[in-house]
Amino acid sequence: MKKKLIAGNWKMNGSIEANDGLVRAVLAGMGTPGCAVAVCVPAPYLAQLQMLRAASALELGAQDVSAHDKGAYTGEVSAAMLREFGVRYAIVGHSERRQYHGETDVLVADKAKAALAQGITPIVCVGETLAQREAGQTEEVVKRQLAAVIHANGHCVSELVVAYEPVWAIGTGKTASPQMAQAVHAVLRAQLRAATPQADRVQILYGGSMNAANAAELLAQPDIDGGLIGGASLKAADFLTIVTAAGRA
Ligand code: PGA
């Protein structure tokens, strides 16, 4: 069976002191996890995390990556730079970047491609807003978002991680029910199957108010292969509970 992946998304949170305490507590409690575990941290802390994680099973992730290789792109961070810090994953197309930074499906697809070219696994986020769900457009929206990435990445599609994150569930405490989430994951799986014979290898994560109390039930669904965890990844005990649930699922 494919290993699940629990990835923390710290968003724009942390400090050198807070990171130190959080990561040491996670490492102390994690032991040999029964799933893959990563934390996606703000770029300035990558060097600190690279030292803290040392040779542990805790993988390092970034929250974004430039679509460009190098050059006059003030403020951007390239995939090659991330790789120098031992980064294994990069979130691309998080709804906060789509919403606040105007990222389009095409740009997100190019970011995924830039990450893959450096051997970094993109965690491609897709998800509908509340208005789109209420208008019955959920399937259409997530398929359009994923189609752009499939189109740009051809035979590399099986190397992606996909995260279904309904926008209305992010940071709101409103989680999609396991059945609701599974229904969308099944749509995404079918779309991946049409694109690659290795679609079953792709980990499809759920994200949006996943926490210590609801993780086990979500992770028990057949097409939910892990979680992208925001708020609950900032508390070591909660994050570890989710990691344990994923190891058992
Ligand atoms: P949340 O965030 O767990 O705080 O809802 C998830 C995410 O945005 O990745």
Side-chain angles (χ1 to χ4, degrees):
M1 215 178 80
K2 158 178 60 189
K3 250 197 190 177
K4 296 204 188 290
L5 165 63
I6 297 299
N9 174 12
W10 288 5
K11 309 195 179 188
M12 199 170 72
N13 293 293
S15 66
I16 288 175
E17 193 186 343
N19 303 345
D20 189 81
L22 176 57
V23 172
R24 284 183 198 282
V26 167
L27 289 174
M30 193 170 79
T32 306
C35 64
V37 186
V39 282
C40 300
V41 308
Y45 298 132
L46 289 170
Q48 184 195 12
L49 266 286
Q50 190 182 25
M51 287 204 314
L52 281 172
R53 68 172 286 270
S56 76
L58 182 67
E59 298 283 357
L60 190 48
Q63 297 175 9
D64 185 29
V65 62
S66 177
H68 305 285
D69 287 345
K70 62 174 174 181
Y73 301 101
T74 302
E76 299 228 346
V77 177
S78 73
M81 293 171 186
L82 296 178
R83 209 174 68 152
E84 289 201 294
F85 292 92
V87 165
R88 167 84 199 275
Y89 298 98
I91 297 172
V92 298
H94 190 281
S95 63
E96 287 150 17
R97 297 215 52 94
R98 292 180 191 261
Q99 191 181 343
Y100 307 138
H101 301 269
E103 293 197 4
T104 62
D105 294 342
V106 170
L107 177 62
V108 172
D110 286 345
K111 288 184 169 195
K113 196 171 176 178
L116 285 168
Q118 290 295 330
I120 293 173
T121 302
I123 301 178
V124 178
C125 299
V126 301
E128 81 289 0
T129 62
L130 185 58
Q132 288 165 333
R133 175 162 282 271
E134 286 173 347
Q137 296 167 344
T138 298
E139 198 170 310
E140 176 192 328
V141 169
V142 299
K143 281 169 90 171
R144 188 200 71 223
Q145 291 171 333
L146 184 58
V149 177
I150 291 173
H151 179 73
N153 288 280
H155 64 277
C156 294
V157 171
S158 62
E159 309 298 320
L160 302 172
V161 170
V162 176
Y164 169 54
E165 298 207 305
V167 178
W168 48 269
I170 295 176
T172 58
K174 287 188 199 137
T175 321
S177 70
Q179 294 71 25
M180 264 160 94
Q182 167 57 30
V184 178
H185 282 232
V187 165
L188 296 170
R189 182 81 65 203
Q191 191 178 3
L192 290 166
R193 283 197 183 125
T196 169
Q198 292 176 29
D200 290 359
R201 270 182 50 182
V202 176
Q203 290 159 316
I204 308 180
L205 315 182
Y206 170 80
S209 300
M210 194 192 264
N211 58 38
N214 61 26
E217 214 191 338
L218 285 157
L219 293 164
Q221 299 299 311
D223 287 299
I224 300 188
D225 307 311
L228 184 55
I229 319 295
S233 72
L234 298 172
K235 296 176 205 134
D238 290 8
F239 190 61
L240 288 167
T241 301
I242 299 170
V243 167
T244 304
R248 289 197 186 126

